[in-house]
Amino acid sequence: MTADDENQMDAQEDQAGPEKASFDSFERSEPPAQGDVNLDLIVDVPVTLSMEVGRTAISIRNLLQLNQGSVVELDRVAGEPLDVFVNGTLVAHGEVVVVNEKFGIRLTDVISPSERIKKLQ
């Protein structure tokens, strides 16, 4: 075989494209039992934590009329616990506190981890 023949064969192999990969079959395993959940895999994933004082629904007309000093009535009674959400999921209730001249929240009722995992499924 000449060098030209070898170059031509190499060019044909390059044009053929990548070889298809083959994988051994994977056995599907059952999801872990409720008590066997390994949270170590996700403990460092950042999440959004938010506290909700209350909600209300208003018309766009009233929204556009809001200005400094306006008061918006919420659906909660004063002193009622705040809701604590993680990525939009309720995880606890708490009360407002002041820590070093900053607002904080003291958790008064935390939803159990098993209940939170059930809500995710």
Side-chain angles (χ1 to χ4, degrees), residues 1-93:
M1 196 185 278
T2 66
D4 288 337
D5 291 338
E6 287 180 7
N7 289 340
Q8 192 175 20
M9 287 178 63
D10 288 340
Q12 288 175 351
E13 287 176 7
D14 290 341
Q15 291 174 356
E19 292 181 28
K20 290 186 179 180
S22 62
F23 298 97
D24 294 332
S25 64
F26 293 104
E27 291 184 26
R28 292 190 181 263
S29 60
E30 293 297 317
Q34 194 71 5
D36 297 341
V37 175
N38 184 1
L39 296 178
D40 291 339
L41 300 172
I42 61 169
V43 293
D44 292 326
V45 175
V47 295
T48 301
L49 180 69
S50 60
M51 278 48 108
E52 184 175 288
V53 176
R55 294 182 183 200
T56 192
I58 63 174
S59 67
I60 293 175
R61 178 184 317 283
N62 291 343
L63 178 66
L64 294 173
Q65 292 174 352
L66 293 177
N67 54 40
Q68 188 173 352
S70 295
V71 175
V72 177
E73 187 176 345
L74 301 175
D75 62 353
R76 295 263 173 104
V77 176
E80 193 173 343
L82 295 116
D83 290 334
V84 181
F85 293 90
V86 173
N87 287 348
T89 300
L90 179 67
V91 295
H93 299 286

